[in-house]
Amino acid sequence: MGRVRGCALPALLTLTGFVTTLDNTVVNVALPTVQRAFGLSVPELEWVATSYVLSFGALLLPGGRLTDLLGRRPVLAAGIVVFTLASGASALAGTGGVLIAARAVQGVGAALMVPAALAVVAADLPARQRSTAVGLWTAALAVALALGPLVGGFVTQRWGWEWVFALNVPFGVVALGLVPAVPGRSGPTAVQEQSGAVTVQERPGPTAVRERSGPAAVHKQPEPATVHKQPEPATVHEQPEPATVHEQPEPATVQEQPGPATGPDVAAVPAAPLRSVVRGGGLDLPGVVLSVLALSLLTHALVRGGEHGFGGQSVPLGAAAGAALAFVVVEYRTARPLVRLGLLRDRFLSGGVVAQVLWGIGVNGVFFFTALYLQRVLGFSPTRAGLAFLPLAGALLLCTPLAERAARELGAHVSIAAGLALVAVGLVYVSGTGLRAGYWDLQPGLVLIGVGSALTTPLTVRCLAGVPAADTGIATGLVSAAREVSGVFGVVLVGVVLTRRERAALAEGADPRVAFLDGYDDGLRLAAGCVLAGALVTLLALRRRGRHRRVVARGSRTGVRTVMK
């Protein structure tokens, strides 16, 4: 790998992780200003925040699948272009509806960028640089989490809320300029399709493709030759496209690359037209449509129910349930499902996904509504409101390195459950700070949330402990998608409680600040209950017989060992 490419690829990965995470946190502090600019209600404001997370989380797995089929470079470039253009559209939005739509398109771009970027880590970087790239990726996420509220508050107060989104445009232009550093077709790559169906090896010059269809293995070389079938030898001449096909009664080999992933482990393949990908069944289009439809209908019903009551939401709730049921049926029947539902029979994975969602409900709820509380109730400026979250992010950064040690000493199920319990305690503390709280009055609760969240970081590795090696990529993608979608439910569920309680208090003649605070307190207590339930799920589902038992996953040909405790 050349020196320029060796520097460009880590820079591209770091920038990709930074901007997609920053856009999830930077907007929260700007929301009160957006609300005043467009005259939005709280439920409409929730859509500004959740539309990005909803499309991002719902399309992560399809983004990974498209990366499998179309290649890393084109999918990453397409994601950057979509994300950058949508960011510019968000900055220029003249109405709340346009802003919500542009935010949703931003999520589509992010859902293409993240799986493709992580595929570059797995396939294009030498082993000695891979761990460095993963470290840079993790650091970029942590810095974006820490700086998001602060940057959002400063930019909103100095230049206006529009610049919160406009800042993504130069980042996107720089990232697009670095995309040529991603190897194209000619680079040595390996493609692992986690459905276990295909292994593709690509090298300079003539390509060799090994496909698996049942037990057979097919090798194609771009040179005229004959076709031999076993056990009955025969000769077949194919025209006009010469090829050699040797069918052997041996299973295909799936190589697993170490490193994190948001979707299936992926690498570049010769680009295929998107139309042929969809028509050929490579992309589970019905699964994509049904999953997005179910999540969107459920979110719509919850937001509308919080504003107008749930009596009139039976139709969208029923439609969401129907779409979810249809999704399950389609995923069980299709040959190449978007999500292998059979994986959820593993209690470690299913328990981890549930715990991840319950944690996300609490943390995303506190980020969104605490930004409103600080500015609407306590009168903080946007910059000061952003600074209020800095100790939380600092605690998360400082304590994350200690999480793995705590998992080894106490057992991962105990340390993760303890972290979730700390988050719940922090939420309850923040919910009781009241009308006259100052900056430092909030910090004990927020710091507890940061420390507790740090202790939950081994959750992903722990819930993948029982997943077969060939399914690690899709299982990791499922956990990542659950984490993103939990942000939607965190904002929406807490918002339902807040809005209904606030309306009831206003009807009784309460002061608007007091009415909002009553709803905010009840919403955070609901979030604390969800996180505490996640702690219980963790203790029961992630407990392993025998303390510190090791699970070793070995790639079939790479010989790489992954040890999880």
Side-chain angles (χ1 to χ4, degrees):
M1 178 181 293
R3 180 175 298 178
V4 173
R5 175 173 290 175
C7 296
L9 283 181
L12 175 61
L13 301 175
T14 303
L15 191 58
T16 300
F18 179 78
V19 296
T20 53
T21 303
L22 184 70
D23 214 68
N24 199 9
T25 59
V26 72
V27 72
N28 288 326
V29 179
L31 288 174
T33 307
V34 173
Q35 185 179 32
R36 291 191 296 271
F38 293 129
L40 302 178
S41 64
V42 171
E44 289 171 330
L45 204 62
E46 291 171 13
W47 277 110
V48 175
T50 60
S51 56
Y52 172 79
V53 184
L54 179 63
S55 58
F56 186 9
L59 296 177
L60 266 174
L61 289 176
R65 182 72 179 130
L66 285 174
T67 305
D68 276 343
L69 297 168
L70 303 178
R72 300 180 304 285
R73 183 192 286 180
V75 173
L76 181 57
I80 293 172
V81 169
V82 170
F83 183 85
T84 304
L85 291 178
S87 298
S90 298
L92 298 174
T95 65
V98 172
L99 178 59
I100 291 169
R103 289 277 291 161
V105 178
Q106 272 188 304
V108 175
L112 296 175
M113 292 166 64
V114 170
L118 291 175
V120 171
V121 175
D124 292 325
L125 292 177
R128 65 181 181 276
Q129 294 185 6
R130 196 172 297 143
S131 59
T132 302
V134 172
L136 289 173
W137 177 276
T138 304
L141 302 187
V143 170
L145 177 64
L147 294 183
L150 180 60
V151 170
F154 178 83
V155 170
T156 300
Q157 186 171 345
R158 299 289 180 179
W159 302 326
W161 65 266
E162 298 90 346
W163 284 95
V164 168
F165 304 107
L167 284 176
N168 290 327
V169 175
F171 285 130
V173 171
V174 172
L176 197 61
L178 295 174
V179 167
V182 178
R185 298 187 186 185
S186 60
T189 60
V191 177
Q192 306 86 25
E193 185 178 318
Q194 291 296 341
S195 63
V198 180
T199 298
V200 180
Q201 293 181 324
E202 185 179 355
R203 294 180 175 84
T207 60
V209 180
R210 177 177 297 174
E211 298 182 358
R212 176 182 174 188
S213 177
V218 182
H219 302 276
K220 295 183 180 180
Q221 297 292 340
E223 58 182 283
T226 57
V227 177
H228 302 288
K229 296 185 179 180
Q230 295 195 12
E232 298 180 4
T235 301
V236 180
H237 298 280
E238 296 184 353
Q239 296 293 337
E241 182 179 356
T244 301
V245 180
H246 303 286
E247 296 193 3
Q248 302 291 343
E250 61 181 30
T253 301
V254 177
Q255 296 182 1
E256 183 177 356
Q257 296 287 345
T262 303
D265 288 340
V266 287
V269 295
L274 183 59
R275 182 181 299 176
S276 65
V277 167
V278 175
R279 288 181 177 178
L283 179 65
D284 178 19
L285 190 58
V288 174
V289 172
L290 289 170
S291 63
V292 174
L293 184 62
L295 287 170
S296 300
L297 286 171
L298 179 59
T299 303
H300 171 78
L302 291 174
V303 171
R304 296 286 294 176
E307 186 177 13
H308 301 291
F310 288 94
Q313 301 306 312
S314 57
V315 173
L317 284 173
L325 180 61
F327 173 77
V328 172
V329 173
V330 167
E331 295 306 286
Y332 267 119
R333 290 186 175 182
T334 188
R336 294 184 177 180
L338 182 65
V339 178
R340 283 203 227 171
L341 299 178
L343 290 175
L344 294 177
R345 297 190 187 101
D346 181 88
R347 66 181 175 91
F348 298 115
L349 179 60
S350 57
V353 168
V354 171
Q356 184 73 71
V357 169
L358 292 172
W359 171 83
I361 288 174
V363 171
N364 286 281
V366 74
F367 266 103
F368 180 88
F369 290 104
T370 299
L372 296 179
Y373 161 69
L374 293 174
Q375 295 179 68
R376 288 180 54 176
V377 177
L378 301 185
F380 281 25
S381 67
T383 302
R384 193 180 181 198
L387 285 170
F389 291 100
L390 204 56
L392 184 158
L396 180 62
L397 286 172
L398 292 175
C399 295
T400 295
L402 304 177
E404 192 60 40
R405 180 177 179 180
R408 289 195 301 268
E409 296 294 329
L410 303 174
H413 64 294
V414 174
S415 65
I416 294 170
L420 292 169
L422 286 177
V423 172
V425 172
L427 288 168
V428 172
Y429 182 94
V430 173
S431 71
T433 49
L435 282 170
R436 302 184 182 279
Y439 180 90
W440 295 107
D441 297 321
L442 296 164
Q443 295 312 316
L446 294 177
V447 168
L448 281 175
I449 294 171
V451 173
S453 296
L455 290 176
T456 66
T457 51
L459 178 60
T460 299
V461 173
R462 188 67 181 87
C463 69
L464 295 176
V467 175
D471 294 320
T472 302
I474 194 66
T476 306
L478 185 61
V479 175
S480 300
R483 179 173 58 248
E484 297 300 331
V485 172
S486 70
V488 177
F489 294 122
V491 172
V492 171
L493 290 178
V494 175
V496 166
V497 174
L498 186 151
T499 302
R500 293 177 69 84
R501 183 71 178 87
E502 181 183 26
R503 287 179 180 272
L506 288 173
E508 296 172 357
D511 179 85
R513 293 171 65 239
V514 175
F516 179 88
L517 182 61
D518 289 345
Y520 170 76
D521 290 346
D522 287 351
L524 288 195
R525 292 185 189 112
L526 169 67
C530 291
V531 176
L532 204 56
L536 182 61
V537 169
T538 300
L539 283 174
L540 296 177
L542 302 188
R543 182 179 181 87
R544 183 180 297 282
R545 295 178 182 178
R547 192 181 179 193
H548 306 329
R549 176 178 166 186
R550 295 191 172 203
V551 177
V552 180
R554 184 185 298 272
S556 57
R557 293 181 65 183
T558 59
V560 177
R561 299 181 67 200
T562 302
V563 181
M564 291 164 284
K565 297 182 179 181

